[in-house]
Amino acid sequence: FLTNIKTSSRNKTSKMTGRKVAFSNVEIIELPYTIGSGPTSGAPVTLGWDLIDRSSFNLDFFEHYRPPRRTKPALRLSAQKRRYLLLKNGHSMNEIESCEMEALRLRKERIMSIRTHRKLHALQMKPVASKAA
């Protein structure tokens, strides 16, 4: 399950209008992982729509006790971790393998498209040789 956190800063003042916005609570919702789509490494993972849990906390309390922010590499899911999350959320190994094959096909298709685009761009950039009469 993934925990999605909605949070904002405590007070913001717009210098142009002088209006203030204040936040006092953080709402955390938990959603299931499900099979997604796209050219990922391993089965694509996305969030499902079925709400698992919802919690609300005072913003000061949340900021004091929340875990440190993760780095970009720490946010990436390996193919093994994707498989584990999908199996844990009720997907069969056949479904997961099928999605892995589709993701691989999409990655290859994207690579071919990029190569084709680069070749066309290179041809457009070549100077045209003038013919002597």
Side-chain angles (χ1 to χ4, degrees), residues 67-84:
R69 295 194 188 277
R70 294 180 288 171
T71 62
K72 277 190 179 185
L75 293 172
R76 290 194 181 102
L77 296 174
S78 68
Q80 293 80 15
K81 180 73 173 177
R82 292 168 187 275
R83 253 185 201 196
Y84 170 77

Side-chain angles (χ1 to χ4, degrees), residues 26-78:
V26 174
E27 183 179 46
I28 299 174
I29 58 172
E30 291 183 51
L31 302 168
Y33 288 108
T34 190
I35 292 176
S37 61
T40 61
S41 174
V45 175
T46 191
L47 295 178
W49 288 96
D50 300 326
L51 181 68
I52 294 170
D53 192 22
R54 179 178 294 200
S55 305
S56 185
F57 298 96
N58 173 278
L59 183 60
D60 292 324
F61 176 87
F62 175 80
E63 287 294 333
H64 186 265
Y65 290 102
R66 75 173 173 82
R69 295 194 188 277
R70 294 180 288 171
T71 62
K72 277 190 179 185
L75 293 172
R76 290 194 181 102
L77 296 174
S78 68

Side-chain angles (χ1 to χ4, degrees), residues 8-128:
S8 299
S9 60
R10 288 175 190 76
N11 290 308
K12 286 193 175 186
T13 304
S14 171
K15 292 180 179 169
M16 297 181 78
T17 62
R19 297 179 188 169
K20 288 186 179 183
V21 177
F23 301 92
S24 59
N25 292 317
V26 174
E27 183 179 46
I28 299 174
I29 58 172
E30 291 183 51
L31 302 168
Y33 288 108
T34 190
I35 292 176
S37 61
T40 61
S41 174
V45 175
T46 191
L47 295 178
W49 288 96
D50 300 326
L51 181 68
I52 294 170
D53 192 22
R54 179 178 294 200
S55 305
S56 185
F57 298 96
N58 173 278
L59 183 60
D60 292 324
F61 176 87
F62 175 80
E63 287 294 333
H64 186 265
Y65 290 102
R66 75 173 173 82
R69 295 194 188 277
R70 294 180 288 171
T71 62
K72 277 190 179 185
L75 293 172
R76 290 194 181 102
L77 296 174
S78 68
Q80 293 80 15
K81 180 73 173 177
R82 292 168 187 275
R83 253 185 201 196
Y84 170 77
L85 291 171
L86 292 171
L87 285 169
K88 188 177 170 187
N89 280 270
H91 294 282
S92 72
M93 199 61 182
N94 284 342
E95 280 181 293
I96 295 168
E97 287 173 349
S98 175
C99 289
E100 288 174 339
M101 295 302 291
E102 177 64 10
L104 178 61
R105 186 190 69 74
L106 289 172
R107 276 198 317 276
K108 286 180 179 178
E109 191 176 280
R110 183 170 284 183
I111 289 167
M112 293 304 295
S113 177
I114 290 169
R115 286 181 183 161
T116 301
H117 175 75
R118 285 182 181 158
K119 285 179 184 177
L120 289 173
H121 184 72
L123 287 174
Q124 289 174 348
M125 292 295 153
K126 281 188 178 179
V128 178

